[in-house]
Amino acid sequence: MDTKIFLSILLLSCCHCMVVRAQMSDCCLTVKNKPIPASRVVDYHHQIKGQGCSIDATILVTRHGRKLCVPLNENWVSLVKTQVIQLKTHCQEVNYKGKRCFGVKRQ
Amino acid sequence: MEDFYYEDEDAHFNDSYDYNYEHSICDKEAVRSFGGVFLPIIYALALVVGLAGNALVVVVYTSRLRLRTLTDVCILNLAVSDLLLLFTLPFWAADAVHGWRLGTGMCKFTSFLYSANFSCGMLLLACISVDRYRAVAHNPSGRTGAGARARIRWLLVCLSLWALAIILGIPELIFSTVKTTHHRTSCTAIYPHSMALPAKASLELLEIILRFLLPFLVMVVCYCQVGRALSRAAGVRRERKWRALRVLLAVVAVFLLTQLPYSVVKLWRALDIIYMLVTDCEVSKGLDRALQVTESLALAHACINPLLYAFIGSSFRGHVLKAAKRLGQRLGRHPRHGGEEPAVEIALRARAQTQSQSGSDDPDTSTFTI
């Protein structure tokens, strides 16, 4: 009888599992769906929901290193991303010299 | 508002336009540098204090000829579990200072050790309260008689507790991984993307509630019964009863004080992950700081356990003294030392007698070593 009560208590307490350790990721908490000129943007990252952050987002890095939060799947975002890839390739070719490559990080 | 992203094409390299910070990334560098200072200090303190206390418990309880009650066995297991938990602290301190540099395997193993032993501690605390309750409510005299059957039962209870704790640690073993973001690596649990949100949500809420609430409720119910039985017990002096009750109260209060803040912050965080409650960067930073502080507090429990469960017990103090005496005899025959001892022991026995309760007259075999 005692053993039964004991075991049922143990069984109940087994349902918990994970310890949320402090994870201090830089996250986008909200996004703004408002186009940003591609000329300002030098890099981008994706933020995937569940990997330390609560929402999906695209992080656009400006020439001065500011990180802006925009939606993940918008046409203008895709366009900006394509231009960023072009810019990065160009700057790699010219060894990051020139006005156009201002703020572009070396790969 | 309308022009917050736009700029003059001429002002190409000028970043001074009006930013809406709400939509720029929430930079947690301040929180990380706070953690990089705060966590190593707290972890070092916890490691030193916890290591000393728990190691003493392990030494005394293993050098003892036999463990008399399930509570004794649990206290020994609790000390071992706390030691294992404390051994992960240097790794977390290093992680807080300069990120995780030990690879995925070590990340998984350390997270597993941390999680399993955290759970194990909670389960053992609940187990101790159940055993104390049973001692008072059912067979106040019969529990100390440790036959072979009782020993097998204790072994089974402990094995099942450890097995459970290991099962509880398995998710960490699976999901923990080294994550690199913005030139910084950290060891965290990452859930698979395919996991359904409602499933994840209910699981997370359930586990947070059960991890804290269930052991707490078990402790409160059991210790209330013990307290009631104690206050009704005949032939025990009032102050003795009050002293025992105070210890029970301290055990529950310390558990509540150390675990409740952590559980509340975790609950808030879990809700935030599911329902995206926090959209303000300052609030988010505050939440992260609160998690760091409350987690340290929850860890402090591993250092306080020896004090609350072992050192307070009369028989433990007696055994420390006996062990010291044996050691003293073995090391060197200090005539001065030997001459002092009997007096100390008598004083200790007198104190032990006032603390023993629940009908047992022999302080060394008092059914619970409160």
Side-chain angles (χ1 to χ4, degrees):
Chain A
M1 176 63 182
D2 286 337
T3 330
K4 265 185 195 162
I5 297 172
F6 193 70
L7 283 178
S8 52
I9 287 170
L10 289 186
L11 212 71
L12 268 173
S13 43
C14 82
C15 303
H16 69 259
C17 22
M18 277 203 215
V19 184
V20 186
R21 288 195 61 259
Q23 313 165 359
M24 296 143 293
S25 316
D26 293 346
C27 287
C28 286
L29 303 176
T30 51
V31 292
K32 180 115 182 167
N33 189 11
K34 187 161 189 182
I36 301 166
S39 57
R40 293 205 133 268
V41 182
V42 291
D43 204 358
Y44 70 90
H45 310 285
H46 288 140
Q47 173 178 305
I48 310 296
K49 185 174 170 175
Q51 305 191 353
C53 301
S54 359
I55 59 165
D56 285 328
T58 304
I59 302 160
L60 299 180
V61 184
T62 69
R63 289 189 187 271
H64 285 263
R66 285 198 194 272
K67 290 166 180 161
L68 303 174
C69 299
V70 298
L72 195 63
N73 299 312
E74 286 289 330
N75 284 334
W76 71 266
V77 179
S78 313
L79 283 173
V80 169
K81 285 195 281 197
T82 334
Q83 291 203 20
V84 166
I85 292 166
Q86 282 169 6
L87 177 72
K88 280 167 131 179
T89 333
H90 163 79
C91 291
Q92 213 161 12
E93 278 163 10
V94 302
N95 203 19
Y96 303 94
K97 286 193 183 96
K99 215 178 164 189
R100 214 186 138 191
C101 294
F102 175 81
V104 180
K105 288 268 183 319
R106 282 172 191 274
Q107 298 286 300
Chain B
M1 193 61 191
E2 277 304 299
D3 58 347
F4 84 91
Y5 275 151
Y6 291 112
E7 46 153 352
D8 226 329
E9 275 299 298
D10 297 332
H12 198 101
F13 306 115
N14 181 7
D15 236 8
S16 62
Y17 59 76
D18 181 25
Y19 272 102
N20 186 337
Y21 283 98
E22 223 178 278
H23 298 286
S24 61
I25 202 162
C26 184
D27 186 6
K28 299 256 173 86
E29 191 49 50
V31 181
R32 279 193 292 267
S33 39
F34 167 74
V37 177
F38 174 76
L39 293 178
I41 292 173
I42 295 293
Y43 287 176
L45 265 174
L47 192 65
V48 169
V49 175
L51 223 57
N54 287 297
L56 187 60
V57 171
V58 170
V59 166
V60 168
Y61 275 76
T62 48
S63 68
R64 214 163 150 167
L65 284 176
R66 59 177 207 167
L67 300 160
R68 286 167 194 277
T69 62
L70 178 59
T71 298
D72 284 348
V73 179
C74 282
I75 288 173
L76 176 59
N77 278 280
L78 186 63
V80 172
S81 157
D82 284 345
L83 281 177
L84 288 173
L85 180 66
L86 290 167
F87 280 135
T88 66
L89 293 188
F91 296 105
W92 301 129
D95 183 40
V97 174
H98 49 60
W100 193 263
R101 292 179 185 175
L102 296 165
T104 312
M106 202 59 195
C107 165
K108 279 182 189 295
F109 179 69
T110 315
S111 302
F112 166 74
L113 212 59
Y114 182 85
S115 178
N117 285 294
F118 207 105
S119 310
C120 196
M122 298 297 142
L123 292 175
L124 284 164
L125 293 185
C127 183
I128 289 171
S129 71
V130 170
D131 187 56
R132 283 173 170 174
Y133 163 70
R134 285 183 53 224
V136 171
H138 296 291
N139 47 348
S141 55
R143 199 182 59 150
T144 49
R149 275 186 62 193
R151 287 184 166 271
I152 289 170
R153 221 184 54 221
W154 296 349
L155 194 72
L156 280 178
V157 167
C158 284
L159 280 180
S160 52
L161 283 176
W162 279 100
L164 259 178
I166 287 169
I167 291 168
L168 301 183
I170 283 175
E172 287 281 332
L173 200 61
I174 297 169
F175 295 128
S176 285
T177 187
V178 176
K179 181 185 158 199
T180 311
T181 37
H182 315 297
H183 316 291
R184 191 189 162 84
T185 56
S186 61
C187 172
T188 57
I190 290 180
Y191 300 90
H193 210 51
S194 54
M195 220 165 150
L197 187 70
K200 207 155 49 177
S202 47
L203 193 83
E204 196 128 0
L205 285 180
L206 195 72
E207 76 191 28
I208 283 167
I209 290 163
L210 287 181
R211 167 169 229 130
F212 164 73
L213 216 60
L214 203 84
F216 179 66
L217 286 181
V218 169
M219 281 171 81
V220 166
V221 168
C222 290
Y223 286 146
C224 275
Q225 295 297 320
V226 172
R228 260 175 58 192
L230 257 178
S231 56
R232 273 202 243 108
V236 184
R237 277 222 317 274
R238 249 183 103 96
E239 59 182 282
R240 282 189 210 171
K241 283 181 187 177
W242 174 232
R243 192 174 292 173
L245 286 175
R246 233 168 32 193
V247 172
L248 293 183
L249 220 66
V251 165
V252 176
V254 166
F255 184 83
L256 192 67
L257 282 177
T258 54
Q259 303 305 314
L260 183 66
Y262 184 43
S263 299
V264 167
V265 175
K266 264 179 11 183
L267 187 69
W268 185 12
R269 207 184 149 95
L271 286 173
D272 171 43
I273 288 171
I274 298 155
Y275 300 109
M276 289 157 248
L277 299 175
V278 178
T279 53
D280 184 71
C281 187
E282 287 309 311
V283 175
S284 179
K285 281 185 197 166
L287 194 57
D288 278 347
R289 274 203 196 95
L291 196 64
Q292 287 176 335
V293 173
T294 55
E295 191 184 11
S296 307
L297 199 64
L299 274 172
H301 204 252
C303 314
I304 306 173
N305 279 336
L307 278 178
L308 276 180
Y309 288 88
F311 295 164
I312 271 179
S314 50
S315 58
F316 181 82
R317 279 202 302 262
H319 274 277
V320 170
L321 215 80
K322 275 180 207 159
K325 191 175 158 189
R326 267 204 306 271
L327 195 73
Q329 280 169 348
R330 211 180 301 161
L331 285 179
R333 293 104 199 141
H334 292 278
R336 184 176 49 87
H337 188 81
E340 254 174 32
E341 248 162 10
V344 177
E345 209 157 286
I346 289 160
L348 192 96
R349 200 172 295 143
R351 207 166 0 133
Q353 217 124 31
T354 60
Q355 282 194 347
S356 73
Q357 66 302 106
S358 75
S360 176
D361 287 325
D362 179 6
D364 215 43
T365 55
S366 66
T367 42
F368 47 97
T369 50
I370 293 177

